Amino acid sequence: MSKNNTMNNLQISTKCIQLGRNSNDQYGFVNAPVYRGSTVIYNTLYDIENRNMKFNYGTSGTPTIENLENAWTELTGAAGTVLAPSGLGAVALALFATTKAGDHILMPDCAYRPSRNFCHDYLEKYGITVEYYDPLIGVDIEKLIKQNTSTIFLESPGSQSFEVQDVPGIVSIAKKYNIKTIIDNTWATPLYFRAHDFGVDISVEAGTKYLGGHSDLLLGMVSANQSTWPALRKAYDGMAMLPGAEDCFLALRGLRTMPLRVKESEKRGLEIAHWLKDRSEVTRVLHPAFPECPGHEYWKRDFKGSTGLFSIILSNEFSKKGLASMLDNFSVFGMGFSWGGFESLIIPFDCSDYRTATKWKPGGLALRLQIGLENLDDIKNDLDEGFKRLRINS
């Protein structure tokens, strides 16, 4: 809808309904069509010599892609957005935009493991030094900065261990040394944490998760502030790493209901997290809204809410055999690595074999849960039966 002049006065749930579409350009239809294509036809010699078309080739984008880019730019408060075929692709784009050979970058020890793998397998191969830091370091990150430090990456909260970072503190140090900051903001989404409002240069999010909402697409979004936008767009144009039209269409459809789904995820996640906290089998709940979660004070200060993904630490009395019996026989929960969809998921994890700046010593087996949209009593009953199997077989 063409109401950009009044969009700033609207609440974010209303923006999610109105952004990325214009019924006047769509013959009155509510949703924008899907544009698929590679070739763009030019009308004159002048046009083709001067690339005088809004989209000069399929890799420069389509109206479908632009609709989603524009919507996400508005939601995040960015200067511009580019899209990638996956969340990891978005991380790669962001890092390519802020680094060059010879640079030193700082990554949090809680980072999504594929992001770590990308740094190790690719950035280091091209002469970029990667150093990992304690995600709870805050302004003391200043001690790690070198003359060639170009980028500080943040992930808040961590995707398995859920440390919440002091984003404003770290950003203040980065700005002091003219260092770029990138954050993986997938867990909170711009509904609960608008990274650019805190001075972050680039915000990366996996649209695979809450934006898509139905576990049927792969997508990454990368938004940048005014000073970093040209470099991000250049990196995007240089690689032509764009997503498919159908995925963008599904993401735009997911955008319309994302505020409702994320709010419901928050409610359900908190209810199950509190229920688990009272279980004798659970020694700790790693949920940013809980005081015992590392960095909770930053969540309380900076975030507008929480979502449906969190972790638990089991009592040290339980064995791997008992865990297998628990996980292998669930009726509601599935074991899967993604999240943000309609289904409840659970995975075991162990950070101890790859962390380098901190030690992962939880004191028991660790599980990450995504709370879906199933009946809450069914979810509790499924977990309760799982805990019975865990006790009996350990």
Side-chain angles (χ1 to χ4, degrees):
M1 292 186 176
S2 55
K3 298 180 180 179
N4 292 333
N5 55 333
T6 61
M7 197 62 71
N8 289 336
N9 299 321
L10 299 177
Q11 297 297 314
I12 198 163
S13 57
T14 305
K15 289 182 179 182
C16 285
I17 296 294
Q18 299 200 7
L19 290 169
R21 62 191 183 93
N22 188 338
S23 58
N24 291 331
D25 294 339
Q26 297 154 200
Y27 301 95
F29 286 99
V30 170
N31 291 311
V34 179
Y35 286 82
R36 306 177 185 87
S38 55
T39 302
V40 174
I41 299 298
Y42 296 82
N43 293 321
T44 68
L45 175 64
Y46 174 85
D47 287 340
I48 198 166
E49 287 184 340
N50 293 277
R51 302 294 192 269
N52 190 31
M53 294 286 280
K54 184 173 184 178
F55 306 102
N56 58 67
Y57 187 67
T59 55
S60 66
T62 67
T64 307
I65 290 173
E66 184 184 57
N67 283 339
L68 182 54
E69 289 173 340
N70 289 345
W72 203 253
T73 295
E74 177 67 31
L75 282 182
T76 58
T81 298
V82 293
L83 307 178
S86 68
L88 181 58
V91 169
L93 267 175
L95 286 167
F96 277 133
T98 64
T99 60
K100 64 183 184 305
D103 281 356
H104 167 258
I105 70 171
L106 291 165
M107 292 283 295
D109 217 20
C110 64
Y112 177 55
R113 194 167 186 183
S115 297
R116 295 179 72 111
N117 293 341
F118 173 76
C119 289
H120 175 72
D121 295 340
Y122 293 94
L123 293 188
E124 289 184 352
K125 186 169 67 174
Y126 293 110
I128 295 169
T129 303
V130 182
E131 182 177 355
Y132 292 91
Y133 67 89
D134 184 340
L136 300 176
I137 197 170
V139 295
D140 285 340
I141 201 167
E142 186 169 14
K143 299 173 183 176
L144 303 180
I145 290 173
K146 303 180 187 299
Q147 237 180 352
N148 60 336
T149 304
S150 65
T151 304
I152 299 175
F153 197 98
L154 304 95
E155 183 175 306
S156 185
S159 63
Q160 291 182 332
S161 47
F162 287 89
E163 298 94 336
V164 183
Q165 296 193 252
D166 180 7
V167 176
I170 292 173
V171 167
S172 70
I173 298 300
K175 289 190 180 302
K176 180 178 175 181
Y177 292 91
N178 197 30
I179 293 168
K180 294 298 183 183
T181 50
I182 301 170
I183 191 169
D184 186 330
N185 190 44
T186 301
W187 181 84
T189 81
L191 302 180
Y192 291 157
F193 186 82
R194 293 226 315 176
H196 297 301
D197 291 351
F198 291 85
V200 176
D201 294 301
I202 294 180
S203 183
V204 172
E205 305 188 29
T208 308
K209 311 300 197 271
Y210 284 118
L211 178 59
H214 294 79
S215 303
D216 56 3
L217 65 87
L218 289 167
L219 187 70
M221 292 88 69
V222 196
S223 60
N225 60 15
Q226 194 69 49
S227 64
T228 317
W229 169 239
L232 175 61
R233 184 71 208 195
K234 184 177 181 180
Y236 174 81
D237 289 338
M239 289 186 283
M241 188 170 64
L242 66 164
E246 283 78 9
D247 285 345
C248 293
F249 174 81
L250 289 172
L252 282 165
R253 188 172 70 174
L255 178 65
R256 313 307 172 202
T257 60
M258 186 172 72
L260 290 172
R261 290 184 286 101
V262 171
K263 186 175 181 180
E264 184 67 15
S265 292
E266 176 182 37
K267 175 185 170 184
R268 289 164 161 270
L270 285 169
E271 179 167 340
I272 298 300
H274 281 289
W275 182 82
L276 287 166
K277 187 178 179 181
D278 293 333
R279 299 283 311 201
S280 61
E281 301 90 349
V282 177
T283 59
R284 269 196 301 159
V285 175
L286 299 177
H287 189 301
F290 283 26
E292 60 267 32
C293 188
H296 164 75
E297 64 272 21
Y298 303 130
W299 174 85
K300 189 174 181 180
R301 182 190 67 189
D302 300 334
F303 286 67
K304 295 180 180 178
S306 62
T307 53
L309 188 79
F310 61 92
S311 292
I312 60 173
I313 309 300
L314 300 176
S315 171
N316 62 9
E317 67 193 270
F318 299 118
S319 68
K320 195 77 173 286
K321 179 184 175 184
L323 182 66
S325 180
M326 178 187 185
L327 297 179
D328 292 354
N329 295 283
F330 275 129
S331 298
V332 174
F333 279 85
M335 280 190 283
F337 287 106
S338 195
W339 44 274
F342 51 82
E343 76 282 36
S344 290
L345 298 171
I346 190 167
I347 59 166
F349 69 93
D350 183 357
C351 308
S352 61
D353 62 339
Y354 61 87
R355 287 208 171 196
T356 54
T358 57
K359 296 291 185 184
W360 174 248
K361 293 181 178 180
L365 297 166
L367 299 171
R368 190 184 71 182
L369 294 88
Q370 128 94 7
I371 306 305
L373 299 178
E374 301 92 349
N375 180 278
L376 283 171
D377 287 336
D378 289 336
I379 290 174
K380 291 175 183 176
N381 289 337
D382 203 36
L383 287 168
D384 186 54
E385 291 299 316
F387 283 127
K388 289 177 183 176
R389 295 191 299 272
L390 175 69
R391 289 195 304 269
I392 292 170
N393 293 286
S394 287

